[in-house]
Amino acid sequence: MSSNAAIQKKKPIKAVRPKRDLFRANEPLLSVFMWGINHTISGLSHVSMPIMLMPDDFKAFTKTRVDNHLFNKDNMPSHFKFKEYCPIVFRNLRERFGVDDNSYLRSLTKKCPLDTDPAAKTSAYRALVSFDNKYFIKTIQSEQVAEMHNILKDYHQYIVESHGDTLLPQYLGMYRVTVNETETYLAIRRNAFSHRLKIHRKYDLKGSTVDRQASEKERTKDLPTLKDNDFLNDGQKIVIGPEKRDKLIKTIQRDVELLAGLNLMDYSLLVGIHFCDAVETEQGDAANNDCDADAEADEDGYDSAGSYNMVGVPTPPDSPLAVSSGAQGIPGELNPVTEFYALRNSDQCPRREIYFIAVIDVLTRYGVKKRTAQAAKTMKHGAGAEISTVKPDQYAKRFLEFVEKIIE
């Protein structure tokens, strides 16, 4: 062989890494949360659904502990625990609410959930939304976990008997994440708002007028959570016509009767309002965000602007973002699945509006803490004042009276 012969160089062989799910997040809590959802949903896929739920199903849980040493440490903490409460019951509820487990898994694990209001995040309260805005994830306290267990059987039975025709939260799962010996409880439910329509105004209504107005700090936000006095001072009404009004009032009455019977109070009526004409004025074109047209969504469920923030980031208390789904509504029509809580205004309304109405914050029992709060507020404001903390039956009565006044 000639000395000038070219020496062939061997190409380096690249190792092919096995494909695996990586649950990257900006903090260990969310990494473990995403890992746990994937783990539990995958496990449930091998469990056949029983024809009838048994009492033990409402007490059941699955718990996983992981101890790693120098393994996958770039993505996950070395030691963590994940617990799912009542997995068969919540799987049954997801089916009754029309939520497919594969869609649920994708929404919660494909990308990291986002804080709805990072400035309001505290050790006691945190609200997140899935990357596609379909599911609302809220931290809850151990007392609320116990309360969920107390009401779950009645709640499930109510959903079955009403065929899901309720404004109560659509609870889809409840979990506990333990990282660095710190336990965090999370409840997941479907969001009340549509991904297609921007919410221009939002109210949290309890039927009380004492200290029920948004603070000046709250009002500086892009989408402040307004309250009862703000609703009345704005001259706002929910104008949907007699037929829709009767149906809505009856649904709320049934829901409130259940809550009062379970000794629950301090719940709210969440009202989000979309001003159709405002969209046309702001954009000059109703192609992306109008009552009569669908927004185009990419494969990740984001709107055409490319950011979930464009639909309006909600603020506490307990305010869900817009729902996003691959199933788009018919142009000019509300989607009955993704816009379950939506009602269009009647012709009597001076402007075109769409209302999103849901009952939220339903896990507060009238116990010693609330009795003490009631006594303190009564001393401060007087026995005749419409304070928010009252007995469940009184709370329900006042709540319904307020609702009947604001709906036309």
Side-chain angles (χ1 to χ4, degrees):
M1 180 179 294
S2 174
S3 60
N4 294 327
I7 300 174
Q8 294 183 350
K9 294 183 179 180
K10 292 184 179 180
K11 294 183 178 180
I13 299 176
K14 293 183 179 180
V16 179
R17 295 183 179 180
K19 187 176 180 181
R20 60 175 176 168
D21 292 323
L22 294 178
F23 305 105
R24 291 192 178 95
N26 55 6
E27 57 182 297
L29 171 67
L30 297 182
S31 294
V32 174
F33 169 76
M34 296 163 69
W35 180 93
I37 295 293
N38 179 75
H39 178 77
T40 55
I41 294 295
S42 299
L44 277 173
S45 64
H46 303 290
V47 179
S48 59
M49 194 66 191
I51 298 176
M52 180 182 299
L53 295 180
M54 304 303 291
D56 284 349
D57 293 325
F58 293 88
K59 304 175 185 177
F61 62 84
T62 64
K63 186 162 60 175
T64 304
R65 174 173 177 164
V66 175
D67 293 299
N68 293 327
H69 179 65
L70 302 179
F71 173 75
N72 196 26
K73 61 181 181 179
D74 293 336
N75 302 301
M76 301 289 289
S78 298
H79 309 281
F80 61 86
K81 301 175 187 176
F82 189 87
K83 183 175 183 179
E84 180 182 22
Y85 296 95
C86 309
I88 298 298
V89 176
F90 283 109
R91 180 186 179 188
N92 184 269
L93 287 170
R94 290 194 293 270
E95 289 183 358
R96 293 185 179 279
F97 291 133
V99 176
D100 177 71
D101 271 3
N102 289 328
S103 172
Y104 182 75
L105 174 64
R106 176 183 178 276
S107 296
L108 295 174
T109 63
K110 183 174 181 180
K111 293 183 180 179
C112 180
L114 305 167
D115 282 289
T116 59
D117 188 356
K121 181 175 69 173
T122 67
S123 59
Y125 175 87
R126 188 173 183 183
L128 305 104
V129 67
S130 61
F131 81 92
D132 56 5
N133 302 337
K134 292 177 69 174
Y135 305 112
F136 190 70
I137 308 155
K138 182 187 174 185
T139 58
I140 58 177
Q141 302 303 309
S142 57
E143 295 87 352
Q144 294 172 303
V145 174
E147 194 56 49
M148 178 73 86
H149 279 103
N150 289 335
I151 71 168
L152 190 56
K153 186 177 293 185
D154 294 288
Y155 171 81
H156 179 271
Q157 185 64 26
Y158 182 74
I159 298 303
V160 172
E161 293 176 352
S162 65
H163 304 287
D165 183 16
T166 174
L167 297 184
L168 295 178
Q170 294 188 2
Y171 287 116
L172 306 173
M174 186 168 68
Y175 309 93
R176 187 189 73 190
V177 176
T178 305
V179 179
N180 297 327
E181 303 302 322
T182 300
E183 296 181 342
T184 303
Y185 300 94
L186 300 160
I188 301 177
R189 66 178 183 277
R190 172 179 271 163
N191 288 324
F193 298 157
S194 165
H195 77 289
R196 301 185 306 149
L197 306 176
K198 179 179 179 179
I199 300 301
H200 294 95
R201 194 171 293 171
K202 176 160 59 70
Y203 296 95
D204 179 276
L205 307 174
K206 294 182 181 292
S208 171
T209 55
V210 175
D211 295 333
R212 290 293 298 166
Q213 56 274 331
S215 65
E216 291 301 321
K217 181 180 179 181
E218 181 69 23
R219 289 178 178 276
T220 62
K221 298 179 180 179
D222 292 335
L223 185 62
T225 299
L226 305 175
K227 299 184 180 181
D228 303 65
N229 287 329
D230 304 310
F231 190 94
L232 297 174
N233 294 335
D234 291 342
Q236 184 67 54
K237 291 283 187 179
I238 300 172
V239 185
I240 55 178
E243 186 176 345
K244 290 181 182 177
R245 180 186 185 277
D246 290 345
K247 185 178 185 301
L248 180 62
I249 291 296
K250 288 179 181 178
T251 301
I252 296 176
Q253 285 176 340
R254 291 197 308 268
D255 292 346
V256 169
E257 286 174 4
L258 173 72
L259 298 177
L262 294 171
N263 207 32
L264 300 173
M265 44 80 68
D266 211 25
Y267 42 85
S268 303
L269 190 75
L270 175 70
V271 178
I273 306 176
H274 169 77
F275 300 140
C276 305
D277 297 330
V279 175
E280 295 175 355
T281 302
E282 292 165 0
Q283 298 183 353
D285 187 344
N288 292 328
N289 213 357
D290 184 36
C291 294
D292 302 322
D294 290 322
E296 294 181 1
D298 65 14
E299 65 176 357
D300 288 338
Y302 281 69
D303 63 18
S304 56
S307 172
Y308 88 101
N309 285 319
M310 296 303 292
V311 299
V313 177
T315 52
D318 210 7
S319 306
L321 280 171
V323 174
S324 174
S325 174
Q328 299 296 316
I330 301 171
E333 298 294 333
L334 293 171
N335 188 310
V337 177
T338 61
E339 294 158 341
F340 176 82
Y341 295 98
L343 286 170
R344 195 183 295 275
N345 71 287
S346 69
D347 295 336
Q348 285 71 39
C349 186
R351 58 186 175 188
R352 294 189 301 148
E353 299 175 340
I354 292 180
Y355 312 103
F356 295 86
I357 304 172
V359 178
I360 62 172
D361 290 338
V362 300
L363 294 178
T364 302
R365 175 173 291 272
Y366 184 70
V368 175
K369 186 182 295 185
K370 285 298 178 182
R371 289 189 178 94
T372 304
Q374 180 185 4
K377 289 182 179 181
T378 301
M379 288 284 290
K380 180 179 179 181
H381 300 286
E386 292 185 350
I387 60 175
S388 59
T389 306
V390 293
K391 295 180 180 179
D393 54 345
Q394 185 180 349
Y395 190 96
K397 182 176 181 294
R398 188 184 63 194
F399 184 85
L400 289 171
E401 289 175 350
F402 185 84
V403 168
E404 290 175 357
K405 289 179 182 178
I406 65 174
I407 301 178
E408 297 180 351

